[in-house]
Every structure is written in C-alpha cells, then in structure tokens.
Amino acid sequence: MKNVLITGASRGIGAQCARSFAKNGYNVWINYFKSEYKAKNLYSEISSDYPFVHLVKADVSDPVQVREMFDSIGEIDILINNAGISQTKLFTDITDEDWNRMISTNLSSAFYCCRAALPHMINNKWGRIINISSMWGQVGGSCEVHYSAAKAGIIGLTKALAMEEGLSGITVNCIAPGVIMTDMNSHLSDDDIIALKNDTPTGTIGTPDDIAQAALFLANENASFITGQVLGVNGGFVV
Ligand code: NAP
C-alpha cells in the first residue's frame, strides 16, 4: 500500500484528494494547519469506510514543522503539495509581510516537503510528487502578483526537479487548476461566477474532484513516463 501525504487537506481540493486516494486504496495522511475541526470531521468521514487514513498538523510554511511532520509520519511515496493561500491586492499595496507569507506558504512549503520526502523515494527508486500550481502561475493574474509569482515558481521547481529525479524513478508534475469552487473563491459574487463561466470554453466552473482525478492519474503506476509537465485543469480557460 502506497503512502500519500496531502498538504492542506482539511478543506477544498486537498480534502477531495484525501477522499479519492483513500477510496482508491492508498494510505492517506491528511495535513492541516488552522482548520482542526474540519480536518477531524474529514478524518471521521473517510475512516468510517477506509481505515488507512491519518491526520497530521503542521504549518508547511515553517521548515521546522515540516521536518517534525515527516519525522512523525515516516516514509511517503506520493507527495501532493497542495496547501495554499490567496490574496487579492493591487501590486503597490502588497507589503513585505504579504509577500513573505505568500512565498513561504505557496512556494517554500513545496521545497521543504520535497526535501523531506525525497530521500525515501530515491532509496526506493520510486516516487510521485504532484505540485498544485494555478493557471495564474502560467499566465499571471491581475491584483495577484505575489500569488502568481509563487505559483509560477512552483512550475519552475517542478520542471527542474523532474530533470534531476528522472533516473531515480520519481516523477514530478504540476496541476494548474482553473477556477475551482472552494473556500478560496467564496468571495466571488453570483455575477462573477456567471462571467467566469462565460469566459470558460466548457461553460462551467471546476470542482475539487476535477483536480483529485487528475492527481490520481499522475500518481498512478501507469503515469511513469509523464514528468516535468504542467497539467491544466481549467475548462480551457487557459490553453
Ligand atoms: P482552500 O479551500 O482555501 O484550502 C486551502 C487549504 O490549504 C486548507 O486546507 C488550509 O488548511 C491549507 N493551508 C493553508 N496554509 C497552510 C499552511 N501554512 N500549512 C498547512 N496547510 C495550509 O483552497 P483550495 O481552493 O482547496 O486550494 C488548494 C490549492 O489549489 C492551493 O494551493 C490553491 O492555490 C490552488 N488553486 C486553487 C484554485 C481555486 O480556484 N480554488 C485555483 C488554482 C489553484 P487549514 O485551513 O487547516 O489552515
């Protein structure tokens, strides 16, 4: 049974990944930070059907907490770097604190987690790293320069690490979601959502399960020849 760690899995996309991986026979570690109540509810929901699920609390923007998290859970075969925050601000209003919080949560976290996960994967000659970027990391989002920069950094990290780890049997890929209905988009009005649907070729907004299915595909044994890629799951919004 393969061990999968999903960062930021108390809610939204990460929570759906946890449900889907548990359902598909993986041993799932749910990382959470602030949403303890939601993480515990998710754990109860999943464990009522699938016993191989665990909770681990850590702020993944903190390298010490990431190290402690890996020490407590042990060897991970599949790492999904999903934890993230968003913020909408004019570029000229972004403070040093905003910038540092964005980069540490959305980019450095992936560095810390990959660094901790890789020794076991390299020894084992097998691993899957799936990083959750964003279509704004591909094309840039107005009033989200720090978010876009962090998500573009995730794409660079993915491509370079894939080059380095290919011979070790480890694939490193990126999913770049479009607009997915989660708490992260709860500020959008009904009119905003209609406008976004109109701008999307499929005429729809994505669901957390759209991302979970893509992650399951990339984690699969059969996806071993796919590495260093950015898989857009965005209804065609960005091509
Ligand atoms: P969400 O519903 O707001 O959930 C964010 C998750 O990240 C929560 O589980 C949260 O955990 C966790 N998190 C935040 N900071 C953390 C930290 N320092 N340490 C550990 N966990 C942390 O967001 P989502 O929509 O599911 O987004 C998931 C990922 O997809 C993010 O990387 C996001 O940028 C990306 N994405 C989302 C969309 C979208 O439209 N929704 C589009 C493109 C990309 P706690 O609540 O427990 O702190």
Side-chain angles (χ1 to χ4, degrees), residues 103-178:
I103 299 298
S104 63
T105 307
N106 288 12
L107 177 57
S108 304
S109 59
F111 164 59
Y112 304 142
C113 290
C114 290
R115 182 174 60 184
L118 272 167
H120 164 68
M121 293 182 182
I122 291 168
N123 271 341
N124 211 25
K125 286 263 173 212
W126 198 95
R128 296 278 186 270
I129 295 176
I130 300 166
N131 296 319
I132 308 298
S133 176
S134 162
M135 65 178 175
W136 302 132
Q138 297 175 285
V139 297
S142 172
C143 296
E144 290 190 275
V145 168
H146 51 348
Y147 181 82
S148 302
K151 293 298 187 180
I154 285 285
I155 293 173
L157 182 155
T158 299
K159 287 178 177 290
L161 192 57
M163 293 278 184
E164 200 168 314
E165 302 302 340
L167 287 178
S168 296
I170 299 162
T171 68
V172 188
N173 289 291
C174 203
I175 296 172

Side-chain angles (χ1 to χ4, degrees), residues 20 39 50 69 93 102 108-109 115 153 159-160 162 178 216 221 224:
S20 299
Y50 309 101
M69 171 170 72
D93 289 341
M102 187 62 73
S108 304
S109 59
R115 182 174 60 184
K159 287 178 177 290
L216 271 175
E221 193 69 54
S224 61

Side-chain angles (χ1 to χ4, degrees), residues 8-14 31-36 58-61 82-85 105-106 132-135 147 151 177-180 182-185:
S10 53
R11 303 181 279 122
I13 291 168
N31 159 251
Y32 68 98
F33 177 30
K34 293 182 179 163
S35 301
E36 184 154 315
D59 172 358
V60 293
S61 71
N82 166 78
I85 53 170
T105 307
N106 288 12
I132 308 298
S133 176
S134 162
M135 65 178 175
Y147 181 82
K151 293 298 187 180
V179 181
I180 308 296
T182 65
D183 295 345
M184 196 168 270
N185 286 320

Side-chain angles (χ1 to χ4, degrees), residues 188-201:
L188 295 175
S189 67
D190 289 348
D191 285 347
D192 292 334
I193 292 182
I194 290 168
L196 283 163
K197 284 184 178 172
N198 288 339
D199 286 341
T200 306

Side-chain angles (χ1 to χ4, degrees), residues 1-10 13-22 25-33 39 42 46 52-83 108-121 126-132 171 173 175 215-216 219:
M1 182 176 261
K2 294 225 169 348
N3 298 320
V4 54
L5 168 65
I6 306 160
T7 69
S10 53
I13 291 168
Q16 189 57 29
C17 286
R19 292 185 186 96
S20 299
F21 275 79
Y26 292 89
N27 184 33
V28 176
W29 288 88
I30 295 170
N31 159 251
Y32 68 98
F33 177 30
L42 179 68
I46 296 175
F52 300 106
V53 60
H54 321 268
L55 281 180
V56 60
K57 182 175 182 177
D59 172 358
V60 293
S61 71
D62 176 350
V64 174
Q65 292 193 39
V66 168
R67 174 50 58 206
E68 289 168 355
M69 171 170 72
F70 275 83
D71 286 348
S72 74
I73 65 184
E75 297 169 342
I76 289 297
D77 305 298
I78 300 164
L79 168 65
I80 304 182
N81 285 309
N82 166 78
S108 304
S109 59
F111 164 59
Y112 304 142
C113 290
C114 290
R115 182 174 60 184
L118 272 167
H120 164 68
M121 293 182 182
W126 198 95
R128 296 278 186 270
I129 295 176
I130 300 166
N131 296 319
I132 308 298
T171 68
N173 289 291
I175 296 172
L216 271 175

